[in-house]
Amino acid sequence: MKRLSAIIILCCLLWSCSKDAVDEFADASFILLANSGTDTSGIKPVEYSFAFHPGVDKDTVPVLVKLIGRLSDQDREVAVTVDEAATTALPTDFELPSPVLLRAGRHVDTIALVLYKSDRLLTEKFKIRLVINANEHFQPGPVGNRQIDITFSDMLAKPAWWNSVVETNFLGPYSDTKYRLFIEATGIADMTDLSETEQRAYAIIFRDFLARGRENGEVYEDENGQINVSPNLF
Amino acid sequence: MNMKQITRYSLIIGLMILSASCYKDKGNYTYEELNKVTIVFAHGEFLSPRAADTLHIEPKLIYRGDTIMASTVADEFNFTWYCNNVEISTGPVLDYAVRDLTGIRPYVKLKLVNKNDESTFLAGFFCDIIPAYLYGWIVVTKKDNRSIISFIDPTTYEVTADFYTTMSGEELGPNVVEVKEHWMAGSGLTNPGNVLIIRNDAAGNIELDGTNLNPIYNTNNFFLGNTLPEDFRPRGEFYMWDYSMMLDDNGNIYTRKHVNNAFSQSGVYPNKPMFIPNGVKFDKGWSGTYLSGQTILYDKTKGQLWLGSDRGLVLPVVYMPGPPIPPGTTLIDAMDKELVYVGKLQQGRFTSSYYLIFFDGSQHYVQKIMVIDQFYTVQAVFMGEMPFGAGNANAQSVFCQLPRIESYMFYSGGSDNKTLYLYEHGPGISSEYYTFDSPIKTITQSQSEVMGVQTHDQLMVGLENGDLYILGILSDHITDPSKRLIKKIELNQGVPVTTMYKVGFGFTQM
C-alpha cells in the first residue's frame, strides 16, 4: 500500500511539471487614461488657465492613453467621446482630434486636446469630460481610468506660495490683476519650490516691469489702488 | 595571650617604631647641581612665515647664567624638533621648509636633553603661515589673443606666470578687462579676499580663491534659473556688504542681495536688466572702499554720476543743496567732459570720498567729492576742482590715486605716454617721476604695513613692451629720484591690461 501511495505521488509531481501555455492578455486589449506613462493609478482631473500663459489664444492639453495588451504594427482607433451631460464647455471652446489613434508600436500615446481662449473664460470655469469607450480594438481599462475631467478658464486664484512672507517681503497684497501682471513680467506662475533669493529676483523683475511700463504710460491698478510690490523689497 | 597583653605589646612595638623615626638623618647624600635651561626664540611664541619660506631657527639658551646660541653647546645637549609632536629634525638649528610643516596651525617644539644628567627642557611656538598668494601683485596681460594672469611675489618678485591656465587647464579667453579683490563682509576680517576676474565676454566672470588662487566660481552661474540675460557680456562686477551689482556690455545693471554675506558668492541676479528711469545706461563703474557700501556708476551719454547702493538701489548723485557750486565746475549731474577715472579714498572705515578725473579732449580736471547715501537720495559734497596735467596728460593717460595718501596721484603722459607723473593735489603741481622706454599701460599702488600702518610704499607700472617696473613711493624715493627704481621685471607675457595688488586679509581694509 505504501509503495502504491509513493508511486501515485510521484506521478502527480511529474504531471505538475508539464508546460503551461500562457496567454498573456487572451484576445482582449485594454486602453485606459493615464496620468503619465508609468502612473496607472486613478486618473486625476486636469485644471488649465490661460491666465498662466499670457499671449496664448489657444493651447493644447495632452491627455495620455495607455495600452494594456499587445502592441500592434497598425494604428488603432481609440473610442474617446465627450460626455455631453457632464461637459459645460461649448463645442467651440475645444477641439478633440478625430480619430483618436494609438499609433503603431506604441503602448502610450497622447490625445492633443486643443482649448480656445475666449472672454467667457475670464469669469467662469468650463469643464470637458472625455470618456473611453469599447470598440473593436480595445476594451476600456479600470473604472477609475475611463474618464477624465478637464476644467479650463482664464481665471486666477491666489496661489498657496503667495503667503505672508512673499506678501511682506516681495510682492505685497495679492490681487488677480497683480498676479496676471506678475506672470506676464516673469513668465512664471508658480514660485512654490523657489528659494527666497529666487523669489526676490522674480519680484525685482516684476517691480522693474511695473516701473518700465509706467514710464511708457501704462496704468497698473487693481482693487487696492496702484499695483506695487512690497515696500520692503530691496 | 589575652587582650590586655595584645594591647601592651602593640603599644611597645608602636613606641619602638616611633623612636626609630626620630633617628637623625646625617644627610650624607651625593648631590649634583642641576642647571636649568631656558630656551628663547627670537620671534617669541608666534611666527608668521610665508608658505614659500624656509624656517631658519636657532634658539638662544639661558644656561648657567649666560645667554648662548644653541649651536655653541651642541656637544652638551641633544636637540630634537617636533611639529605637532612629530619629529622633524635634530640638531641645534632648525632649517625646515614651511610648506612641509603639517597641521592647520603647526606648533613647532624643541626638546632639549642634557647629555650628562638627562634633564629635559621644552619650548615651542605656533606658526601662522601666510599663504603663498595672500599678498602680492596680480597682472593680467594679453598676448596672442590670450589673457594671461600672473602672480608676482612682493618680496622676492618671483613670477608665477599664467597660473590660471596652469591650475585649471582652461583659458581665460581674450577679453579680461579687470582684476580686483573682494571680501566677504560677514566672514570675519581675518579671511582673505578673493580675486575676481572680469571678462567682457559671454563666458562670464571668474572668481579665484584668495588663498591658493584656484578658480572657485563662474559668476554666470548666479543668474536666476541659470539663464543669462539676453546678449550678456559683463563689463564690471561690484561687491558691497549685502549686495552685488553686475554691469554688462549694453550698459545694463543687475543687482542681487547676498543670501549670506559671509559667502563670497550668494544670491541670484535677476536675468532681466534693472529698470533705470529715462533709459539710462552705464558706461563704466568703480567700486568704493570696502566698507563704504558704494559703487560709482557713470552714464556717459547723459553725463551723470550715479550710485549703486548697498540696498540694491541705483540712484543719481546730485550736489548737496547749499552754497552754489563755483561757475565753471564740471557738474556731476550734467558733465560737459568725459569722466575717465574715479579714485576712491580710504580716509577711515566708512569713507566715501572720491577724486573724479575729467577730460575735455585737451585738458584734465580733478574734482573731489564725498558721496553721502541717504537711502532714497544720494548727495555729494563738493570739495573743489582743479585743472591739471596741462602739456603732459593725454587721451592715453592712465591714473592711480593713492587711496590712503590722499594728496598723491600718479598718472602717465608725456611723449608717447612713457612718463610717469606725480600729481600733488594740495599745491596742485605735477612733476615727472620716472620715464620708461615704452608706453605706460597700467599703474597700481601696493599696500603694505609700514611702521604699523597700512599704507602705500610701491607702484607697479606696466609697459606696452611687457616689462613691469616696481617703483618706491616713500619719502626717500620721492626726494631722491635715483632711489625710485626698486625692480624691473621682464614679464614677457604680452601687454598689461589690468593690474592689482592683493592685500589679503579683510582687516587690511580698515
Side-chain angles (χ1 to χ4, degrees), chain A residues 148-184:
Chain A
I148 182 169
D149 289 342
I150 297 115
T151 307
F152 65 107
S153 71
D154 192 9
M155 296 165 63
L156 291 171
K158 184 177 179 179
W161 58 260
W162 199 311
N163 53 27
S164 59
V165 174
V166 170
E167 179 170 329
T168 305
N169 293 345
F170 303 129
L171 295 178
Y174 174 84
S175 74
D176 285 354
T177 312
K178 184 188 271 191
Y179 190 19
R180 203 176 289 276
L181 288 168
F182 175 81
I183 294 165
E184 183 182 343

Side-chain angles (χ1 to χ4, degrees), chain B residues 259-285:
Chain B
V259 174
N260 184 337
N261 64 14
F263 299 153
S264 59
Q265 293 282 343
S266 68
V268 296
Y269 289 106
N271 49 25
K272 292 184 181 173
M274 186 176 182
F275 169 73
I276 311 291
N278 304 313
V280 166
K281 301 285 183 185
F282 298 106
D283 185 67
K284 215 171 171 194

Side-chain angles (χ1 to χ4, degrees), chain B residues 200-240:
Chain B
N200 186 215
D201 63 43
N205 301 333
I206 301 282
E207 179 159 319
L208 309 178
D209 184 287
T211 304
N212 55 30
L213 299 182
N214 276 317
I216 48 176
Y217 295 116
N218 182 318
T219 57
N220 270 3
N221 296 328
F222 292 87
F223 276 91
L224 184 59
N226 262 329
T227 306
L228 289 177
E230 281 179 33
D231 192 30
F232 177 75
R233 292 174 304 281
R235 186 183 291 173
E237 190 168 4
F238 312 95
Y239 284 77
M240 295 170 280

Side-chain angles (χ1 to χ4, degrees), chain B residues 291-339:
Chain B
L291 297 179
S292 71
Q294 295 190 346
T295 297
I296 299 294
L297 297 166
Y298 171 46
D299 171 13
K300 186 176 178 180
T301 308
K302 293 186 170 64
Q304 290 179 331
L305 199 69
W306 290 67
L307 180 83
S309 83
D310 204 19
R311 297 178 193 91
L313 301 177
V314 175
L315 299 163
V317 186
V318 296
Y319 288 114
M320 184 76 79
I325 304 300
T329 299
T330 310
L331 301 175
I332 55 173
D333 50 357
M335 298 173 201
D336 57 353
K337 310 172 186 73
E338 183 179 352
L339 178 65

Side-chain angles (χ1 to χ4, degrees), chain A residues 25 88 104 168 180 202 206 212-213 216 224 233:
Chain A
F25 303 107
T88 56
T168 305
R180 203 176 289 276
Y202 278 119
F206 180 45
R212 203 170 276 120
N216 294 328
N224 304 314
L233 175 65

